Amino acid sequence: MAGKQAAKLPRKRYERELLRLQTELVRLQEWVRTEGARLVVVFEGRDAAGKGGTIQRVTEHLNPRVARIAALPKPTERQRTQWYFQRYVEHLPAGGEIVLFDRSWYNRAGVERVMGFCTQEEYRLFLRQCPIFERMLVEDGILLRKYWFSVSDAEQQDRFRRRLEDPLRRWKLSPMDLESITRWEAYSRAKDEMMVHTDIPEAPWYVVESDDKRRARLNMIAHLLDSVPYHDVPPPVLELPERPPSTGYQRPPRDLQTYVPDHAAGL
């Protein structure tokens, strides 16, 4: 798809394939849980590139006790004095868990680098340590997948505009997001340099073309499933028991409890 504008995927075809892939994600989840595997998925990309929507579709039918999202706020003053990767280590999975990082330690190579939130020395140290850090994760048995969502400047601008006009999505916009419009080339250069240093054989970057959100979601999920050597885990055999006969229990009068008003009745 690189350099080409594919036709937008029809909704019905998208929804049919998404459901099939989500069913496979449930199977992947059960394999992770049963085998005690540890899966880390990193979602990176420009603002409004479609990371959040994809994460939502990935986790939609998964067990939140198995698959969780790590979307860290800005570091506290105490965290600023720690080793940079330390607060991310706290969110790594234990056996039988999946963690999806909605932005990750790569903040240092992106927004912190471009906006001047870190020093040049801190940035260079990150570029040296990041490959070592990720090799340590992989050597310890963690399945690490890194996805970069690539969106064009015109599509990003259009998405920002729609967010600005939509009260349900207005919260997604911040002054930092709008600042990224005027620093498009700076972010591009930062991304290119980041890729040079951190696209390593043990933990390669996978680029997701995301001007079409539907295609991006399907492509990313399908790739994730293909990249993990999971297999179907037979579910336990369950039988619905017969309800036992009543022993005389009587429900208290309804007027002793406070009920939610029937808002739906007025629709």
Side-chain angles (χ1 to χ4, degrees):
M1 283 183 61
K4 299 180 180 179
Q5 184 63 41
K8 189 172 183 180
L9 193 65
R11 177 173 291 278
K12 286 187 177 180
R13 191 184 309 170
Y14 159 73
E15 291 178 347
R16 182 171 59 248
E17 179 62 7
L18 177 62
L19 181 59
R20 187 189 72 81
L21 292 173
Q22 288 176 327
T23 303
E24 285 300 317
L25 284 170
V26 173
R27 294 192 177 103
L28 169 65
Q29 168 193 260
E30 290 308 295
W31 175 82
V32 167
R33 185 182 61 82
T34 302
E35 297 294 327
R38 293 171 291 165
L39 175 59
V40 172
V41 187
V42 170
F43 292 80
E44 290 288 348
R46 297 180 186 271
D47 298 314
K51 302 180 297 298
T54 304
I55 292 172
Q56 180 183 348
R57 271 66 179 187
V58 169
T59 59
E60 188 172 4
H61 299 289
L62 300 185
N63 184 344
R65 293 185 178 89
V66 176
R68 54 187 168 85
I69 302 170
L72 278 60
K74 66 180 182 180
T76 63
E77 288 302 316
R78 181 175 183 274
Q79 289 171 334
R80 291 180 189 277
T81 66
Q82 296 174 341
W83 177 47
Y84 176 72
F85 295 93
Q86 187 168 337
R87 72 188 190 116
Y88 296 100
V89 170
E90 296 174 1
H91 295 271
L92 292 175
E97 293 180 348
I98 302 170
V99 176
L100 296 89
F101 279 93
D102 186 355
R103 294 200 181 279
S104 64
W105 45 89
Y106 283 100
N107 278 336
R108 175 135 297 176
V111 63
E112 290 189 19
R113 161 69 166 158
V114 174
M115 301 302 296
F117 296 155
C118 66
T119 66
Q120 184 71 7
E121 291 74 19
E122 289 171 331
Y123 171 68
R124 290 298 171 190
L125 181 62
F126 169 83
L127 293 181
R128 291 196 302 272
Q129 289 187 343
C130 184
I132 300 172
F133 172 67
E134 292 181 350
R135 288 189 183 101
M136 291 173 63
L137 299 183
V138 174
E139 288 174 1
D140 200 59
I142 288 178
L143 300 170
L144 176 60
R145 302 294 182 269
K146 305 185 304 190
Y147 293 97
W148 177 271
F149 284 72
S150 178
V151 64
S152 66
D153 52 354
E155 179 63 21
Q156 184 194 52
Q157 186 93 359
D158 189 48
R159 290 177 186 177
F160 280 160
R161 185 178 298 108
R162 292 200 300 270
R163 287 181 180 183
L164 194 61
E165 297 169 352
D166 185 349
L168 296 180
R169 296 188 293 172
R170 178 63 179 80
W171 63 270
K172 291 186 175 183
L173 270 183
S174 70
M176 194 74 66
D177 297 331
L178 301 181
E179 181 76 15
S180 68
I181 296 176
T182 62
R183 297 178 185 247
W184 178 271
E185 290 192 0
Y187 273 103
S188 296
R189 294 188 181 96
K191 182 263 293 183
D192 292 343
E193 186 170 9
M194 175 195 79
M195 292 282 189
V196 168
H197 289 84
T198 63
D199 187 18
I200 58 177
E202 298 88 344
W205 276 106
Y206 298 104
V207 178
V208 182
E209 294 285 352
S210 63
D211 273 11
D212 183 340
K213 289 184 178 182
R214 296 174 187 170
R215 290 180 184 274
R217 293 164 185 168
L218 298 183
N219 292 340
M220 179 267 151
I221 297 173
H223 181 275
L224 175 64
L225 291 167
D226 288 342
S227 74
V228 178
Y230 73 99
H231 56 78
D232 203 19
V233 177
V237 178
L238 301 175
E239 293 185 6
L240 192 65
E242 295 290 334
R243 191 175 298 278
S246 172
T247 59
Y249 168 78
Q250 292 186 354
R251 182 175 179 169
R254 289 180 176 270
D255 58 9
L256 295 180
Q257 296 174 322
T258 302
Y259 285 82
V260 172
D262 191 358
H263 170 78
L267 300 178

